[in-house]
Amino acid sequence: MSAPSKPYLLDFYPLEDEKQTRIAPFFAHLRAGRLTTTKCEADSSVHWPPRVTCPLCHGNRLVWVDLPKEGKLYAFSALVLGLPMGMEGDAGAVVGMVELGNSGVRIFSRIRGRKYEDLRVGDPVEFETYDTGDGRVFYRFVSKL
Amino acid sequence: MRKVALVAGGLSTWGIRPATWGELLQEAGQELFANARNLDAKDVDSLFVGAAQPERLAFQSHVAPMAAELLGVRPSRFVRRVELACASGQTAIQDAYVAIASGLSDVALAVGVEKMNLPSMAEATTSMANVLDRAWDGVHGGTAPPFFAMVAQRHMMEYGTTAEQMATVSVKNHRFANSNPKAQFYAKTFAKEKLLTGPMVSPPLRIGDCSSMTDGAGAVLLVGEELASKYTDTPAWVAATSQYTDFHNLANMASLTEWTGLRRAAQDLYARGRTDAAHIPLAEVHDCFTISEIVEYEDLGFCPKGAGGKFAAEGQSDLGGSVVVNPRGGLLGCGHPLGATGIGQAVEVLGQFQSTVPAARLVKGASQALTHNLSGSANVHTLTLYRRES
């Protein structure tokens, strides 16, 4: 992995490798096209974001499980004014809460592929990964319409 | 526990100010010392400084001793900065209350300050994106406007709330700000029609639905019961305080439109203060966006769930309504210097009790008032109940 292009403290993406985080497998899974998170073997709770201890039972018998890659828009908006540094070029970008299949997990994400005006609550979206431009990988969702 | 009185307040002018963080704080301190009868700097034993992001917005850490030096006080009991994003100011007051109620402090200053207007607006908004879970929510562009825009979208969908009802909140709070020379939007008028066609920030929220980036500071003095009469004839007595949080990452928010943490914090506040929503004549609430104030009417219990838009449109939160909300002008009218906002709300409550605010916003005979701040994605709610009589 190459060094981030900006100082770490002005960079939004997590530091992904095993020298920096104990959830490096999450990012390795992204590279393999999988959206995963942690599940507690003791109490069956599913977490987001991935954890190293279970917030319910405080144990550490956690396993990686796949989340559904398809979901529906629960709510959404767009970044029109007031974008943060590094995102100034993204004016108009859509963001939203995505309900992942029947998993009960609802996560916030960038939504690609369709303008705000052309989207409705309930519209189908699909997981995809992208290169952050400095060797790291991240996820977003794309409209299936 | 010992009873605690809020006896004096002071504010800088709020707005886009040609002044640094420390200069704003000096202005607020000067007004506080002018307003607090008999106050000697040597009386102050504790200082709590509400500041959300001085590291990012002023490149300054360890701000409490710096604030003490600027204010000319030498705290001997407690000196610290209090950070809770948009609720930093009210949380500083809560800490001062706890210190005095316990008997460990007698005379405490709670101050709040934020310098938000920088040469680069993008640099300032970057410091808003790290209030949410930066690596999982902020990374996608999750700042306050898109988050509260989603709240508005769902509230409109679930309860039929309209953009026009939301604009009513903005018109009311900007009108109140016209009686407040310290407000960012003092002496500026906002017609509903103009708000409804203003530039979009994050749809459906237009610029008139959003509070501003503001430079400002505030200071209040809290003292133990037996000392109150030295500093004022009419204090605001702290009757109760509460706080509740139940999630941080947006994935773990049970409902966008029903703020469970606020319902719980309000329940605690009313129980501790032996009152209920029907007996609150005056409320300073966190209208960071118009939709926030609408949800807050509901979850504070001022109206049924889903009826907040109608409540605003009917004028129930205006002078002459069932509860006057944000008479100082709110965050929409005064601006929102994160660390100072909660202090500004407390200064308003004291001014209301002392009848020193202009008649255009005076809530005559209000015997009690509440202040509310949310922080982050409405995942923390901080409340204080004040009474005119102890």
Side-chain angles (χ1 to χ4, degrees):
Chain A
M1 187 180 105
S2 60
S5 57
K6 282 188 236 144
Y8 289 135
L9 292 178
L10 289 175
D11 181 271
F12 281 105
Y13 293 104
L15 297 173
E16 299 181 348
D17 67 32
E18 61 285 347
K19 286 181 184 162
Q20 296 290 344
T21 176
R22 290 176 58 193
I23 62 156
F26 172 83
F27 302 101
H29 296 153
L30 281 186
R31 279 178 207 289
R34 293 169 60 198
L35 178 63
T36 58
T37 194
T38 51
K39 179 178 179 176
C40 177
E41 282 193 315
D43 61 31
S44 298
S45 62
V46 175
H47 320 127
W48 185 269
R51 305 267 314 204
V52 297
T53 62
C54 174
L56 205 60
C57 71
H58 302 107
N60 59 0
R61 285 171 49 209
L62 307 189
V63 292
W64 290 99
V65 293
D66 284 273
L67 287 167
K69 291 188 191 177
E70 296 192 352
K72 285 181 177 171
L73 278 180
Y74 176 80
F76 63 96
S77 184
L79 314 174
V80 181
L81 290 178
L83 283 88
M85 285 168 79
M87 296 185 194
E88 297 98 324
D90 296 355
V94 176
V95 291
M97 298 297 304
V98 177
E99 283 186 315
L100 297 172
N102 297 318
S103 65
V105 178
R106 189 163 75 203
I107 66 174
F108 185 70
S109 177
R110 194 68 75 89
I111 310 295
R112 189 182 68 79
R114 218 164 161 87
K115 287 194 289 190
Y116 171 83
E117 294 75 18
D118 301 328
L119 286 165
R120 298 288 174 268
V121 167
D123 280 356
V125 292
E126 190 173 24
F127 159 86
E128 68 175 17
T129 61
Y130 64 98
D131 193 317
T132 65
D134 60 12
R136 286 178 289 176
V137 63
F138 214 62
Y139 63 90
R140 64 191 169 202
F141 286 78
V142 57
S143 169
K144 280 188 75 185
L145 293 175
Chain B
M1 285 200 300
R2 179 158 62 151
K3 286 180 182 168
V4 178
L6 192 148
V7 295
L11 299 171
S12 74
T13 302
W14 292 11
I16 301 173
R17 293 290 318 279
T20 67
W21 186 96
E23 291 159 3
L24 295 164
L25 191 58
Q26 291 173 65
E27 291 178 17
Q30 181 179 45
E31 189 173 276
L32 176 115
F33 275 94
N35 287 345
R37 184 177 72 196
N38 301 324
L39 176 62
D40 186 320
K42 291 192 190 76
D43 298 349
V44 176
D45 65 47
S46 297
L47 174 65
F48 299 91
V49 182
Q53 299 241 20
E55 288 89 352
R56 291 300 299 266
L57 295 167
F59 195 25
Q60 182 65 58
S61 187
H62 206 213
V63 295
M66 182 174 175
E69 184 175 277
L70 292 167
L71 293 163
V73 296
R74 294 181 176 184
S76 55
R77 307 276 179 83
F78 298 101
V79 57
R80 65 196 53 181
R81 171 214 178 169
V82 180
E83 187 278 308
L84 196 70
C86 316
S88 298
Q90 185 165 182
T91 307
I93 293 174
Q94 196 175 51
D95 279 5
Y97 166 76
V98 169
I100 296 169
S102 72
L104 294 175
S105 164
D106 298 311
V107 178
L109 268 178
V111 305
V113 56
E114 217 76 45
K115 169 70 185 176
M116 301 179 74
N117 288 282
L118 307 174
S120 160
M121 181 61 100
E123 189 165 346
T125 54
T126 304
S127 297
M128 306 293 106
N130 67 5
V131 172
L132 301 188
D133 189 337
R134 183 270 295 170
W136 303 89
D137 293 334
V139 65
H140 298 289
T143 57
F147 170 75
F148 287 95
M150 294 194 300
V151 173
Q153 181 189 48
R154 290 294 308 192
H155 207 275
M156 291 165 129
M157 204 176 114
E158 292 171 23
Y159 302 114
T161 301
T162 65
E164 196 170 346
Q165 289 171 341
M166 283 160 38
T168 309
V169 173
S170 189
V171 168
K172 168 179 70 72
N173 294 355
H174 280 111
R175 191 189 74 236
F176 278 138
N178 281 324
S179 69
N180 185 352
K182 294 294 174 71
Q184 181 162 7
F185 295 103
Y186 174 60
K188 293 190 179 73
T189 52
F190 292 81
K192 191 191 279 183
E193 299 67 35
K194 212 160 179 195
L195 293 175
L196 287 166
T197 54
M200 204 61 96
V201 175
S202 275
L205 300 179
R206 294 177 187 275
I207 203 142
D209 291 300
C210 309
S211 58
S212 298
M213 305 285 271
T214 305
D215 310 328
V220 288
L221 185 71
L222 293 101
V223 304
E225 182 177 14
E226 70 285 2
L227 298 168
S229 62
K230 176 181 172 188
Y231 300 107
T232 183
D233 296 329
T234 310
W237 294 95
V238 181
T241 181
S242 68
Q243 198 166 46
Y244 192 73
T245 185
D246 52 3
F247 72 97
H248 189 249
N249 188 286
L250 296 183
N252 300 315
M253 184 175 199
S255 164
L256 281 169
T257 54
E258 180 168 341
W259 295 347
T260 48
L262 178 53
R263 294 185 91 85
R264 169 64 186 269
Q267 199 178 13
D268 286 353
L269 188 85
Y270 299 149
R272 287 172 199 162
R274 298 179 187 188
T275 189
D276 57 37
H279 291 91
I280 305 292
L282 164 61
E284 284 285 325
V285 308
H286 201 92
D287 57 325
C288 49
F289 297 89
T290 51
I291 188 64
S292 317
E293 185 169 315
I294 285 171
V295 175
E296 287 151 12
Y297 299 151
E298 300 167 359
D299 292 333
L300 283 166
F302 296 155
C303 69
K305 191 72 223 168
K310 192 163 160 265
F311 191 77
E314 287 174 349
Q316 291 294 335
S317 54
D318 207 335
L319 281 177
S322 58
V323 50
V324 184
V325 178
N326 286 329
R328 83 190 166 105
L331 284 61
L332 290 164
C334 293
H336 182 26
L338 310 179
T341 284
I343 305 286
Q345 294 173 327
V347 169
E348 175 69 13
V349 169
L350 183 64
Q352 289 277 350
F353 286 178
Q354 296 180 337
S355 298
T356 51
V357 300
R361 69 177 202 264
L362 181 65
V363 185
K364 282 183 196 138
S367 58
Q368 58 180 3
L370 71 74
T371 59
H372 160 261
N373 293 118
L374 67 77
S375 40
S377 50
N379 56 336
V380 189
H381 294 274
T382 306
L383 290 167
T384 304
L385 180 69
Y386 294 96
R387 288 222 172 93
R388 199 192 287 260
E389 307 294 335
S390 70

